[in-house]
Amino acid sequence: MDCALLGWPPDAPTLRLDYRRFAYAGKFVLGSTGKAVVREGERGEGEYDDHLLAAASFDPDRTDPDRLVVRYVTVRDDRRGEGLGARLLAFVAARAADRGYHRVRIAVNNPAAYVAAHRAGFAFTGAETGLAELVCERPSDRPADRDAGVYRSGLDRYRDRDLDDEALAHLDEKAAAGPPSVVGVPDDAEPGG
């Protein structure tokens, strides 16, 4: 299993992710965003890129040329919970630094993605998008300074949403634990520039 940067916008490849196994699969058929993946083995002959375990798409911020924005991150359904999303985000941030970006931003719409972003060294900015996504950001060359109170305040924003008792208990568990440890850039990552 390794991380690889497949291309920068606007000339990145398209991916054929199985829509039954990946959230946002349709967002990866566009070649206008950069792509990075976690993959295992080689691409087979099938209809989909079944060797891919996770994928991220990204492009420059339209208002700040020093910032890269991660648009989508998705992990194959049978590999969720293994930390692949966090590893991929850390990898994208490192490649952004190599490319000259100073900051990396992502907006997340669920608690699992919020925790993964923090594991990748992002911190909640306190802002939300118009789509009720929480905005997280980090310097491209190192993890952000993270505050436990700010981390918990982000988790608390999810409490106002339609969550079941199990999801609320999970939020309580994550909030009590505080910000998760930051993952490093995977050792097996292909440089890519």
Side-chain angles (χ1 to χ4, degrees), residues 129-144:
T129 69
L131 302 172
E133 297 169 320
L134 304 188
V135 178
C136 298
E137 192 167 283
R138 66 167 278 172
S140 59
D141 62 347
R142 64 185 171 1

Side-chain angles (χ1 to χ4, degrees), residues 80-131:
R80 292 182 188 142
E82 296 180 23
L84 298 179
R87 289 181 68 211
L88 185 56
L89 280 172
F91 172 75
V92 169
R95 299 293 73 79
D98 294 345
R99 190 82 171 191
Y101 292 98
H102 299 284
R103 301 199 63 72
V104 181
R105 176 175 280 184
I106 185 169
V108 295
N109 63 6
N110 65 73
Y114 181 80
V115 172
H118 277 75
R119 288 191 67 221
F122 288 75
F124 180 43
T125 65
E128 287 188 44
T129 69
L131 302 172

Side-chain angles (χ1 to χ4, degrees), residues 9-186:
D11 301 317
T14 61
L15 302 179
R16 295 179 305 173
L17 302 178
D18 186 340
Y19 67 92
R20 296 164 297 197
R21 307 203 64 198
F22 286 94
Y24 310 114
K27 301 296 184 182
F28 291 86
V29 298
L30 304 173
S32 60
T33 58
K35 308 286 188 318
V37 297
V38 176
R39 61 189 177 191
E40 188 170 64
E42 299 295 320
R43 186 180 187 294
E45 296 294 322
E47 178 181 357
Y48 298 109
D49 293 321
D50 290 331
H51 68 301
L52 300 182
L53 307 178
S57 70
F58 47 86
D59 58 10
D61 189 306
R62 292 177 188 98
T63 61
D64 183 352
D66 289 331
R67 182 171 44 219
L68 186 74
V69 178
V70 177
R71 301 291 176 188
Y72 295 96
V73 176
T74 186
V75 177
R76 199 171 73 193
D77 61 352
D78 64 331
R79 301 302 290 265
R80 292 182 188 142
E82 296 180 23
L84 298 179
R87 289 181 68 211
L88 185 56
L89 280 172
F91 172 75
V92 169
R95 299 293 73 79
D98 294 345
R99 190 82 171 191
Y101 292 98
H102 299 284
R103 301 199 63 72
V104 181
R105 176 175 280 184
I106 185 169
V108 295
N109 63 6
N110 65 73
Y114 181 80
V115 172
H118 277 75
R119 288 191 67 221
F122 288 75
F124 180 43
T125 65
E128 287 188 44
T129 69
L131 302 172
E133 297 169 320
L134 304 188
V135 178
C136 298
E137 192 167 283
R138 66 167 278 172
S140 59
D141 62 347
R142 64 185 171 1
D145 294 330
R146 300 177 313 145
D147 176 270
V150 173
Y151 172 76
R152 288 184 184 99
S153 75
L155 285 173
D156 285 343
R157 297 218 184 164
Y158 290 109
R159 292 184 189 288
D160 297 334
R161 301 182 185 182
D162 189 21
L163 300 177
D164 61 26
D165 290 340
E166 183 179 338
L168 288 170
H170 188 65
L171 277 179
D172 291 339
E173 176 186 313
K174 294 296 180 189
S181 305
V182 175
V183 299
V185 176

